[in-house]
Amino acid sequence: ILNVEQSPQSLHVQEGDSTNFTCSFPSSNFYALHWYRWETAKSPEALFVMTLNGDEKKKGRISATLNTKEGYSYLYIKGSQPEDSATYLCAFRTDSWGKLQFGAGTQVVVTP
Amino acid sequence: DTAVSQTPKYLVTQMGNDKSIKCEQNLGHDTMYWYKQDSKKFLKIMFSYNNKELIINETVPNRFSPKSPDKAHLNLHINSLELGDSAVYFCASSQLAVSTETQYFGPGTRLLVL
């Protein structure tokens, strides 16, 4: 993998259901992996920064895991609520200079 | 107080004009960034300044010139605007030395070149 890829591009979830989606990134030159939540017409909101293989982070009903050896991260939303509707972006970082390479995002729509 | 602010929020201008977008952060961060959201909605980095020094300079036309008068401000000046410059431009800031530090984004400036 040369770039950051996110799948699926979009998904629809019923309120109360849990869901997860993937961020794939190059497994070499790993420095950090960022997750953001981005609502339309707002600025991206930071969720997690993950740096170590095997990292697991949690924020409320949202959690993420990281596998740097195989180059992927999963984001999980437990018991989805309509307010979880947003685009979830992951961004890959290869060095200490701060350059983030973003994926195209996974758009999540939670319907009541 | 807004952590990262940008002005203006919307900018409509004619092709060929010169315009500036301003960014300010009150988080005490040492690094600031400009990103462009392209037509496919990707966020792509353009520039980054650390303590007023340019540290990231992606392949961007030289009509785009960032200016950082101090650590809390990073402005983007665009000369001879072209139709393809129409996009949303986001400013961000972070504390660079901390590997686990995230980047905080501003609300974006929607630029439309007619």
Side-chain angles (χ1 to χ4, degrees):
Chain A
I1 292 181
L2 299 177
N3 300 309
V4 180
E5 297 174 1
Q6 291 188 245
S7 63
Q9 191 173 16
S10 64
L11 58 90
H12 286 71
V13 188
Q14 281 291 118
E15 183 176 357
D17 287 351
S18 297
T19 189
N20 65 83
F21 37 93
T22 310
C23 172
S24 301
F25 51 86
S27 55
S28 58
N29 299 321
F30 179 85
Y31 187 85
L33 194 284
H34 295 230
W35 279 101
Y36 287 87
R37 180 176 180 276
W38 194 4
E39 289 183 70
T40 304
K42 293 187 178 180
S43 50
E45 173 196 347
L47 288 174
F48 308 114
V49 180
M50 309 175 81
T51 58
L52 298 176
N53 185 44
D55 255 356
E56 292 187 22
K57 300 273 186 175
K58 188 174 181 183
K59 187 176 183 179
R61 294 178 290 96
I62 301 176
S63 60
T65 60
L66 178 68
N67 183 323
T68 61
K69 295 187 187 308
E70 295 182 39
Y72 65 83
S73 175
Y74 293 131
L75 193 88
Y76 300 88
I77 305 176
K78 184 177 178 183
S80 303
Q81 299 297 309
E83 58 265 31
D84 296 327
S85 296
T87 295
Y88 292 82
L89 297 172
C90 70
F92 174 65
R93 187 173 162 188
T94 59
D95 56 39
S96 62
W97 294 108
K99 177 181 173 181
L100 292 181
Q101 185 179 348
F102 279 88
T106 292
Q107 184 182 23
V108 174
V109 177
V110 182
T111 50
Chain B
D1 278 348
T2 305
V4 182
S5 59
Q6 295 178 226
T7 53
K9 195 169 181 179
Y10 298 96
L11 184 54
V12 182
T13 187
Q14 296 289 329
M15 208 165 47
N17 284 349
D18 302 339
K19 290 292 179 184
S20 292
I21 307 171
K22 296 186 177 181
C23 179
E24 177 180 1
Q25 55 96 3
N26 62 7
L27 298 168
H29 288 159
D30 61 5
T31 304
M32 296 183 72
Y33 311 80
W34 276 110
Y35 287 84
K36 179 181 180 180
Q37 184 184 11
D38 67 17
S39 56
K40 295 184 179 179
K41 307 297 184 185
F42 276 93
L43 277 174
K44 291 191 174 177
I45 193 161
M46 301 172 68
F47 304 102
S48 174
Y49 271 73
N50 174 255
N51 289 316
K52 302 197 297 175
E53 297 293 324
L54 182 67
I55 59 170
I56 297 174
N57 187 357
E58 292 295 289
T59 306
V60 176
N62 57 15
R63 297 181 295 103
F64 290 77
S65 53
K67 287 186 171 53
S68 182
D70 54 57
K71 280 197 317 181
H73 296 85
L74 180 62
N75 304 323
L76 183 65
H77 188 76
I78 314 170
N79 288 327
S80 302
L81 278 156
E82 300 177 357
L83 295 176
D85 297 331
S86 296
V88 184
Y89 293 85
F90 287 91
C91 176
S93 74
S94 73
Q95 194 64 17
L96 189 62
V98 181
S99 63
T100 55
E101 179 73 7
T102 192
Q103 293 181 16
Y104 294 83
F105 282 79
T109 295
R110 284 145 185 84
L111 171 64
L112 178 60
V113 182
L114 301 175

